[in-house]
Amino acid sequence: MSTFEPALSQAGHGSLDADSRIRLLEGQVHALMGELHEARRQQQSRESLTDPLTGLGNRLALVDAYLKAKEAASEGAGAPALLLLELDGFRSLRKAAGHEAADQILIAVAARIRSAVREDDVVTRLGGDEFAILLPATPLSRATAVGNRILAALEPNIDVGEGSFRCGASMGLRVAEPDHRAADLLQEAGMAVEESKAEGRNKLKAFQPAMLHARQLQRQIETELQDAIRSDQLVLYYQPIVDLETGRLQGTEALVRWKHPVHGLIMPDQFIPVAESTGLIAELGRWVLRTAVRTLRKWRDDPATAGHHFTMRINVSAADLQSLEFGDDVREALAAAGLEPEALVLELTESAIIQNNELDRYTLLSLHRLGVGLEIDDFGTGYSSMGYLRKLPVDRVKVDREFVRDLCKEPGQLDFLAAIQQVIRSCGLDGVWEGIETAEQAEALRSIGCTSGQGYYFGRPLPETDFTAQLAQQETWPA
């Protein structure tokens, strides 16, 4: 007997003829198939709204939740708020732990976020290490409290296999305005995340209108900077580094400037941070490298300036150290200019090298083997550990100008600088002292054994034409 027959009989159709029974059977089959298709549709809909790794909602789920919360707000409920967070240092963590462990960490992070939010809050993963939480009808103060609970929940280490990992987060908060689209809300919460990162990470920052203006300005600078690199708007200025005993030139530092067609000469502190945050720093660095070594080659070939034998110093960013191609860029630039590696000194800030990761060490060792000089810039403002100095393949340090500023003004300052100089020498390094502005400061430093100096006393940064004229006219600095 067919499995459908009892149902047909119970429905009072036991006496129907064969054709009628078949039609009824077909109808029931169609109904069952419709239910099956609807179940599959609902399952596919759920899957389309779900992040497969964590089981959280995905970006579509976030947009759907926002539209519902926005509709409720239009009917009298409070405005929704969005918390957006990115895990701090997750890229390095993934490299250290491996992809499988990193996935387990993301799953654990998702569970901790769920545990810290309220029942009606919608937790989603947008991709990678980026999570978003939509808070329906939630004012700023309450959203801030939820965000801080999430940060607190992420503080304890996450144990995965035999490893234990810390996953702090940078978080941005934006309460929706009536005319906000989901994309607007995400963008402005993202600006607040960037602000959190800039202020030291692992904190919550609420969106402020000034952030939008700053982002618009940054985008304008980014677009114009791309054009500047490719259209000869950038120029290098050169500042002498001098032997304190003889006044002879030891080196010159190449300092980039932007000759903007509208705003005039723009100093690097106004556009280097934009270059770093947008990824343009690598292209900018290559331009500085190639231009500087070509200029040094010209000075060596010109009979009027060939009597000076000095090194070219250029600044290197943290992004350069993280690039596998950087060593090749340096090698190719030197070869194209026909210069020996010893003619180039790369200045690295302490903050660029204290991460001490494998790629940094690989790049530093490659450059050291190549034979270029390596110098720690702004020494004394950052980590400044003698133990770490001994481990790095560097040749010299450039002592920050703050140490020289009060020289000859405060009693005991010279003894303090003498102790710094002794420590530098004990590490087998040379020291370059920045910020020398008077003959008295230069003489005081020379008296305690300092050999190299830089500062306005010897010369301000000059464009290539003016610096070339100095090289042709004088043998020692200052003139």
Side-chain angles (χ1 to χ4, degrees):
M1 183 174 63
S2 168
T3 55
F4 295 103
E5 282 185 327
L8 293 171
S9 298
Q10 292 168 9
H13 299 294
S15 61
L16 293 176
D17 59 28
D19 290 341
S20 298
R21 290 168 61 86
I22 291 173
R23 284 195 297 272
L24 287 170
L25 182 60
E26 287 176 345
Q28 190 161 4
V29 168
H30 282 305
L32 290 171
M33 290 298 294
E35 291 177 9
L36 178 60
H37 285 310
E38 177 61 20
R40 286 178 177 173
R41 188 194 65 77
Q42 291 179 3
Q43 181 181 358
Q44 289 171 350
S45 177
R46 285 193 298 270
E47 290 176 351
S48 71
L49 297 172
T50 302
D51 171 52
L53 176 65
T54 63
L56 298 176
N58 58 16
R59 187 179 294 268
L60 288 175
L62 176 68
V63 173
D64 183 61
Y66 173 63
L67 292 175
K68 292 176 181 176
K70 187 177 180 181
E71 183 179 355
S74 69
E75 296 173 355
L82 180 70
L83 290 167
L84 185 66
L85 71 89
E86 295 179 16
L87 301 181
D88 293 334
F90 187 75
R91 184 177 299 177
S92 298
L93 187 152
R94 184 182 288 277
K95 288 180 182 178
H99 287 276
E100 185 175 347
D103 285 348
Q104 293 302 310
I105 291 169
L106 290 172
I107 293 170
V109 166
R112 290 190 181 187
I113 295 174
R114 274 181 173 146
S115 71
V117 302
R118 304 163 306 178
E119 184 177 352
D120 293 338
D121 298 334
V122 179
V123 183
T124 63
R125 176 175 174 242
L126 304 185
D129 62 331
E130 189 176 34
F131 295 82
I133 304 95
L134 187 81
L135 314 175
T138 305
L140 179 64
S141 58
R142 194 174 303 168
T144 300
V146 175
N148 286 326
R149 281 207 307 271
I150 293 171
L151 291 177
L154 295 177
E155 282 185 3
N157 282 12
I158 296 174
D159 297 327
V160 176
E162 298 180 357
S164 184
F165 304 93
R166 185 178 181 278
C167 272
S170 297
M171 183 180 291
L173 165 61
R174 179 59 162 129
V175 177
E177 303 287 346
D179 59 344
H180 262 140
R181 299 173 302 157
D184 300 328
L185 197 62
L186 278 166
Q187 181 186 43
E188 293 177 6
M191 293 178 193
V193 170
E194 295 303 317
E195 193 76 10
S196 171
K197 291 179 179 179
E199 291 192 8
R201 301 175 180 269
N202 202 39
K203 60 178 64 177
L204 185 150
K205 293 292 294 183
F207 173 82
Q208 301 292 336
M211 295 178 188
L212 185 57
H213 175 71
R215 173 64 65 89
Q216 291 168 342
L217 183 61
Q218 177 172 315
R219 285 179 175 171
Q220 180 182 349
I221 293 175
E222 178 186 354
T223 301
E224 294 181 352
L225 183 56
Q226 285 179 318
D227 294 337
I229 295 172
R230 297 159 190 166
S231 61
D232 296 326
Q233 291 180 28
L234 298 180
V235 294
L236 290 182
Y237 277 47
Y238 300 92
Q239 186 175 26
I241 297 165
V242 175
D243 186 312
L244 295 179
E245 184 68 36
T246 66
R248 300 283 297 183
L249 199 62
Q250 290 184 335
T252 181
E253 181 178 2
L255 302 162
V256 66
R257 306 285 189 264
W258 180 0
K259 294 183 72 172
H260 194 282
V262 175
H263 304 297
L265 196 66
I266 300 178
M267 302 302 283
D269 59 351
Q270 295 179 265
F271 63 87
I272 293 294
V274 176
E276 290 176 334
S277 65
T278 58
L280 284 173
I281 191 67
E283 186 176 356
L284 176 61
R286 283 191 294 269
W287 181 90
V288 171
L289 170 65
R290 292 192 296 263
T291 305
V293 296
R294 281 200 304 264
T295 303
L296 182 59
R297 179 74 271 168
K298 285 196 296 185
W299 286 333
R300 290 193 176 184
D301 290 341
D302 185 347
T305 56
H308 300 281
H309 192 77
F310 56 89
T311 58
M312 178 63 70
R313 317 288 182 94
I314 68 169
N315 295 285
V316 173
S317 70
D320 290 327
L321 295 182
Q322 286 289 297
S323 170
L324 289 170
E325 296 80 23
F326 182 65
D328 292 333
D329 291 340
V330 172
R331 186 181 295 104
E332 291 168 6
L334 289 168
L339 292 172
E340 70 280 5
E342 292 78 12
L344 180 65
V345 176
L346 304 177
E347 297 189 1
L348 315 123
T349 61
E350 289 185 82
S351 60
I353 56 179
I354 61 172
Q355 297 181 36
N356 200 30
N357 59 46
E358 291 294 334
L359 192 51
D360 285 353
R361 287 196 293 272
Y362 171 81
T363 304
L364 287 171
L365 287 171
S366 297
L367 294 168
H368 182 68
R369 293 191 190 104
L370 177 61
V372 301
L374 296 173
E375 175 177 285
I376 298 175
D377 196 10
D378 297 333
F379 177 74
T381 60
Y383 192 65
S384 304
S385 161
M386 296 305 107
Y388 113 100
L389 272 181
R390 289 192 178 95
K391 294 177 183 178
L392 292 172
V394 297
D395 312 294
R396 54 184 68 82
V397 298
K398 181 179 281 188
V399 183
D400 188 73
R401 67 185 69 248
E402 293 295 326
F403 291 95
V404 178
R405 174 178 296 174
D406 296 323
L407 182 59
C408 306
K409 295 180 182 178
E410 292 188 5
Q413 182 71 2
L414 188 59
D415 291 338
F416 176 56
L417 299 191
I420 294 176
Q421 172 68 10
Q422 185 176 357
V423 168
I424 292 171
R425 283 191 169 178
S426 71
C427 293
L429 303 172
D430 295 325
V432 179
W433 293 77
E434 282 190 295
I436 300 173
E437 297 188 355
T438 67
E440 186 180 14
Q441 290 174 336
E443 175 57 27
L445 290 169
R446 189 197 62 75
S447 72
I448 60 173
C450 302
T451 59
S452 304
Q454 182 178 6
Y456 288 171
Y457 171 64
F458 302 109
R460 293 175 178 269
L462 295 174
E464 180 186 340
T465 302
D466 294 343
F467 196 79
T468 301
Q470 276 196 351
L471 291 174
Q473 294 168 8
Q474 63 190 72
E475 292 186 359
T476 59
W477 277 256

